[in-house]
Amino acid sequence: MLKYIYRPPWSVYIMRKRSEALEKSFEKLTAEKKEKILNAAYEEFTEKGYEDASTNKIVKNAGIGKGTLFYYFRNKQDLFEYLIDESIEITFKEYLNKIDYRETDIFNRLIRVGELKKEVYKQYDIPVTFFINVLLNVEKYDFLAKDLRETRIKAEKQVEDILKRNIDYSKFKEETPAPKAVQLIYWAIEGYRLDLEQRVQKKTSNHFSKQEIAAYYAEFYEYMHILQTAFYKKKHISLLSEGKNDEST
């Protein structure tokens, strides 16, 4: 179920020019009503993209009149920006800002981050799928391109921090310069991410089945185990899989 989250001052928002009066009117709706409207909009924009999305289809699926939709949002672009605003908030607050940097084993941290991402996707699959598609097609949104690129850069910086902040270098092989190994791991993950993005862009559907998600994670864990075997001392190598980090003997 989609949750509606308080917007703290530290967040990055694209929708700075939005009418406060309009937003307050929408926020006064019940959570169930807001969820129905937003989910209808998320799904239409995800399936059709901004240009081809139909506000007629949105209001039909939301069970409201078109006049009601434009009472809350000035126009189609205003609605689209609101959706981006909400999905950015979810991405940063529910995922990136919940990463635990107290875990100093780089591979255990990556597995935990993967599990966190999976949980966030389970709970917020509709807005997260929308946001992924927006970021993969930034060039299509001229009116938001600069802000979206800045948001993506901020997100990628936090992803880099996952690999470099408070890492225990003692687990790396003595003959391996740990900082260079971490950099190689970062490049490997970035390369995998770019390859995955290309595969996702070639999909005929913008939605992900449970089977597809499971396959992506299984593939990711396999690559992590290969990297761990290459760089870690034998006594620190563990079986990397979802929710399982048992050290081998």
Side-chain angles (χ1 to χ4, degrees):
M1 179 177 289
L2 183 62
K3 293 183 179 179
Y4 296 90
I5 304 166
Y6 166 71
R7 297 183 180 123
W10 46 257
S11 294
V12 181
Y13 296 107
I14 289 173
M15 202 174 53
R16 288 177 286 272
K17 57 184 178 296
R18 197 177 150 67
S19 164
E20 290 185 8
L22 289 173
E23 183 168 342
K24 286 179 181 178
S25 296
F26 183 69
E27 297 301 338
K28 287 179 181 178
L29 294 176
T30 64
E32 183 180 0
K33 188 80 169 179
K34 287 189 290 187
E35 180 176 352
K36 193 169 184 180
I37 293 170
L38 292 184
N39 282 351
Y42 276 129
E43 291 181 327
E44 178 66 7
F45 282 117
T46 298
E47 182 181 350
K48 304 285 182 58
Y50 177 76
E51 292 296 336
D52 295 330
S54 167
T55 53
N56 290 328
K57 181 83 172 291
I58 291 170
V59 298
K60 180 181 178 181
N61 291 339
I64 61 173
K66 199 164 185 178
T68 302
L69 180 67
F70 290 125
Y71 173 73
Y72 300 129
F73 304 97
R74 291 183 302 235
N75 50 43
K76 181 178 174 180
Q77 181 176 324
D78 195 37
L79 171 60
F80 187 72
E81 290 177 356
Y82 186 93
L83 298 179
I84 292 176
D85 194 32
E86 287 288 319
S87 57
I88 286 174
E89 176 66 10
I90 291 168
T91 300
F92 277 83
K93 188 170 183 179
E94 297 299 309
Y95 170 49
L96 292 174
N97 293 337
K98 284 190 175 180
I99 293 168
D100 186 359
Y101 291 98
R102 293 173 298 179
E103 171 57 73
T104 59
D105 184 298
I106 189 171
F107 295 103
N108 285 344
R109 182 184 292 176
L110 287 167
I111 295 301
R112 290 186 181 183
V113 167
E115 291 172 2
L116 174 61
K117 186 187 296 184
K118 199 171 184 180
E119 286 304 308
V120 171
Y121 188 80
K122 279 183 184 177
Q123 191 170 3
Y124 301 100
D125 60 318
I126 295 175
V128 169
T129 300
F130 163 81
F131 190 51
I132 289 171
N133 278 280
V134 168
L135 288 183
L136 290 177
N137 297 281
V138 171
E139 70 283 351
K140 293 182 180 179
Y141 311 113
D142 293 339
F143 56 96
L144 293 174
K146 183 176 182 292
D147 285 319
L148 285 171
R149 289 192 187 99
E150 289 176 357
T151 299
R152 180 163 181 157
I153 289 170
K154 288 178 184 291
E156 289 174 351
K157 176 62 172 64
Q158 286 199 242
V159 171
E160 186 176 352
D161 282 348
I162 293 170
L163 292 163
K164 297 184 177 180
R165 187 196 300 181
N166 193 33
I167 295 299
D168 180 4
Y169 288 161
S170 68
K171 294 184 177 183
F172 287 83
K173 293 176 181 177
E174 293 178 359
E175 66 271 22
T176 304
K180 291 187 181 296
V182 169
Q183 187 63 52
L184 286 169
I185 294 168
Y186 173 69
W187 286 335
I189 290 175
E190 275 297 287
Y192 175 72
R193 180 182 65 80
L194 292 171
D195 176 72
L196 193 57
E197 282 187 3
Q198 290 177 356
R199 282 188 274 164
V200 169
Q201 286 176 322
K202 292 177 182 176
K203 278 168 48 68
T204 55
S205 169
N206 289 322
H207 295 275
F208 303 93
S209 67
K210 291 181 180 179
Q211 291 77 15
E212 285 176 314
I213 293 171
Y216 290 146
Y217 276 97
E219 183 181 52
F220 175 73
Y221 295 137
E222 182 179 1
Y223 283 129
M224 289 303 97
H225 185 67
I226 291 170
L227 289 169
Q228 186 191 53
T229 303
F231 293 121
Y232 264 17
K233 296 172 184 174
K234 188 174 181 180
K235 66 180 180 179
H236 296 303
I237 296 173
S238 46
L239 179 62
L240 297 176
S241 61
E242 184 181 4
K244 184 174 182 180
N245 292 295
D246 300 324
E247 287 197 350
S248 59
T249 56

